[in-house]
Amino acid sequence: MERICDLVFVVLIGFSLLGKTVNANEFEFDDAEFHANTTQMLSFLENFSNYSQSAATYNPLYVGLTLIPGAAAKGAVCLDGSLPGYHLHRGFGAGANSWLVHLEGGGWCNSLRTCIYRKTTRRGSSKYFEKSLAFTGILSNRAEENPDFFNWNRVKVRYCDGASFTGDSEDRAHGLQFRGQKIWLAAMEELMSKGMRYANQALLSGCSAGGLASILHCDEFRGLFRRRTKVKCFADAGMFMDARDVSGGHTLRNMYQGVVSLQGSAKNLPRTCTNHLDPTSCFFPQNIVSNLRTPMFLLNAAYDSWQIIASLAPPSADHRGVWKACQKNPANCSPSQINFLQVFRKHMLNSLKRFSMSKQNGLFINSCFAHCQSERQDTWFADNSPLIGNKAIALAVGDWFFDRSSVKQIDCPYPCDKTCHNLVFRS
């Protein structure tokens, strides 16, 4: 499904968060980037995270870009054939031999049209990568902002393939290289050569499409290390659900089918899933997480902002636009719309029952309208961060990783949680 949603209206609105309004034209986006493919909405939400983090009050650390010089010889290239890259800030002190590898998000491309467009942006070409990125939230180097991982080696692997690091094919006629799996392998080989092979402990993380990637590649990541190395995985906003939209259709499944078939992802998806389900189903985390051998922590908003806008109530399913006001602000949702969202929340929780029964896994599902909460300082760890049971997200993840306590935090349904940092669009 090539055109699953038209979100050009996003360019014309601002963001309001905790009383602060950020106009869309303050972001490094142009109108063309919102070319009616909803993957750009993911970029917008994730970029908003970066914007809010880099406010003057935080004065974050900026980390320079490194391209992987030998990647091209291995066929590990971005959509346009350019080199992939990463940002690495070295650990220090007690964390000098610990590694956190964070996979960048940014949606997917599911058709020739969307992939051809994508290769003209930083989501498909390193020619457009930022030369430095702010490291905040889970990537911060300050103990007061990131109490458990601040002194680790922290890496952000850039995302330029459009299939959550799973594709392996090409379309020479249109100059497209679908090499996400090879990018993943080249990046891991590069980091191992930089000292990660000697890690005492390692955490693979990611946000959004990167959160999905951290699920898909979790057991592969575990396989890189010695048996005695403590290895776990963490996915933020990666629980994209195979759910019916407001018209009864399957908007996201149709999109994922395009991604998997176009980019040749099937052979790189977890075999624990593809042995009994079709490849498209195995791009959905709900069919993967319970069978992971490696400990996994899932952080997700029960009412994920992107999924509401692009998967549950896209214009293709909401022809009369009755969901527009609700999408912009949960306070505008009618009782029937809230009921629909409560059914979606229940679907998510039901899909995680088996996952949550495992002692090795962790869970933090808050009843917020948000997307990506680990990269933003205000939601990861700050004075007014979101809480479940008086525990902030950063402390929950740390308690789980270091086995200080079991973490299976599931919020009460909306609107009971008053600590949420809900994303609200303002006309």
Side-chain angles (χ1 to χ4, degrees):
M1 188 174 189
E2 187 169 317
R3 187 182 180 92
I4 65 172
C5 182
D6 186 350
L7 288 171
V8 176
F9 78 88
V10 179
V11 179
L12 305 177
I13 63 176
F15 244 135
S16 177
L17 177 65
L18 299 177
K20 176 179 173 61
T21 298
V22 182
N23 294 321
N25 60 12
E26 292 181 52
F27 295 88
E28 295 180 1
F29 287 90
D30 55 27
D31 289 4
E33 187 163 6
F34 296 93
H35 69 297
N37 184 283
T38 50
T39 64
Q40 303 309 321
M41 184 59 184
L42 283 171
S43 295
F44 188 80
L45 291 175
E46 291 156 7
N47 239 18
F48 175 70
S49 299
N50 291 336
Y51 182 93
S52 67
Q53 296 164 23
S54 59
T57 53
Y58 292 125
N59 189 26
L61 169 75
Y62 279 84
V63 179
L65 170 68
T66 300
L67 296 179
I68 304 174
K74 302 169 186 173
V77 292
C78 300
L79 284 172
D80 70 335
S82 58
L83 292 175
Y86 61 93
H87 303 252
L88 165 63
H89 188 253
R90 289 287 186 177
F92 55 93
N97 208 28
S98 300
W99 286 75
L100 187 152
V101 178
H102 188 78
L103 304 178
E104 185 179 32
W108 313 271
C109 64
N110 64 317
S111 66
L112 287 175
R113 181 181 66 84
T114 56
C115 290
I116 289 170
Y117 169 74
R118 190 180 179 97
K119 73 173 184 175
T120 66
T121 75
R122 70 188 184 283
R123 301 303 189 196
S125 172
S126 60
K127 297 176 184 176
Y128 305 101
F129 283 174
E130 299 90 339
K131 300 305 180 186
S132 65
L133 287 180
F135 270 31
T136 51
I138 195 171
L139 294 173
S140 173
N141 65 328
R142 297 173 179 171
E144 65 270 24
E145 297 176 352
N146 188 23
D148 284 307
F149 308 108
F150 72 97
N151 59 354
W152 286 30
N153 296 281
R154 298 165 332 282
V155 188
K156 186 162 191 173
V157 179
R158 301 306 297 268
Y159 179 41
C160 64
D161 66 275
S164 289
F165 297 91
T166 63
D168 191 7
S169 63
E170 64 180 351
D171 187 316
R172 292 185 180 181
H174 296 91
L176 290 168
Q177 293 289 322
F178 305 118
R179 304 299 184 187
Q181 179 70 20
K182 290 184 176 179
I183 292 173
W184 157 261
L185 293 172
M188 294 305 104
E189 185 175 345
E190 168 84 354
L191 296 176
M192 294 297 272
S193 74
K194 298 288 185 179
M196 192 169 74
R197 71 174 71 252
Y198 305 114
N200 291 328
Q201 49 194 1
L203 176 64
L204 177 67
S205 71
C207 159
S208 192
L212 172 58
S214 71
I215 294 169
L216 295 173
H217 290 288
C218 181
D219 284 340
E220 289 180 70
F221 187 69
R222 162 72 268 186
L224 295 173
F225 299 92
R226 299 167 293 182
R227 186 172 298 180
R228 64 176 179 269
T229 303
K230 184 172 188 171
V231 181
K232 297 188 179 185
C233 305
F234 167 55
D236 176 9
M239 276 300 296
F240 296 96
M241 298 298 301
D242 189 5
R244 289 187 180 273
D245 59 39
V246 294
S247 70
H250 291 275
T251 295
L252 191 55
R253 168 167 279 272
N254 291 337
M255 182 190 179
Y256 276 0
Q257 185 174 20
V259 174
V260 171
S261 60
L262 177 66
Q263 300 218 25
S265 297
K267 58 183 174 289
N268 297 316
L269 299 175
R271 291 184 182 179
T272 54
C273 182
T274 56
N275 283 341
H276 64 280
L277 291 177
D278 64 275
T280 300
S281 295
C282 295
F283 209 70
F284 283 99
Q286 67 199 70
N287 299 318
I288 299 168
V289 291
S290 296
N291 295 317
L292 291 174
R293 299 184 301 274
T294 310
M296 165 66 71
F297 190 104
L298 296 177
L299 163 65
N300 230 90
Y303 314 98
D304 184 275
S305 298
W306 185 87
Q307 293 190 64
I308 293 172
I309 292 171
S311 172
L312 297 181
S316 59
D318 179 32
H319 300 295
R320 293 184 297 168
V322 298
W323 275 82
K324 284 187 176 180
C326 177
Q327 289 172 334
K328 293 179 181 179
N329 188 339
N332 296 332
C333 297
S334 68
S336 64
Q337 288 171 331
I338 290 294
N339 183 64
F340 181 89
L341 295 177
Q342 302 295 22
V343 171
F344 174 75
R345 171 184 176 271
K346 187 174 182 179
H347 180 196
M348 181 183 292
L349 296 181
N350 285 339
S351 73
L352 293 174
K353 280 185 176 179
R354 186 174 156 220
F355 170 87
S356 64
M357 290 172 64
S358 172
K359 292 182 179 180
Q360 71 175 9
N361 296 328
L363 201 61
F364 194 104
I365 307 293
N366 56 1
S367 292
C368 303
F369 289 73
H371 185 77
C372 286
Q373 300 178 87
S374 64
E375 296 179 343
R376 277 173 42 187
Q377 195 60 56
D378 67 298
T379 48
W380 174 248
F381 194 65
D383 290 341
N384 62 345
S385 293
L387 305 172
I388 301 180
N390 295 319
K391 183 169 288 189
I393 294 168
L395 298 181
V397 176
D399 285 350
W400 163 79
F401 185 88
F402 293 102
D403 303 308
R404 294 191 293 249
S405 66
S406 174
V407 181
K408 304 287 172 62
Q409 302 279 17
I410 298 177
D411 217 349
C412 49
Y414 175 84
C416 71
D417 190 340
K418 305 305 180 184
T419 70
C420 286
H421 292 198
N422 290 329
L423 296 179
V424 176
F425 299 90
R426 274 183 26 171
S427 299

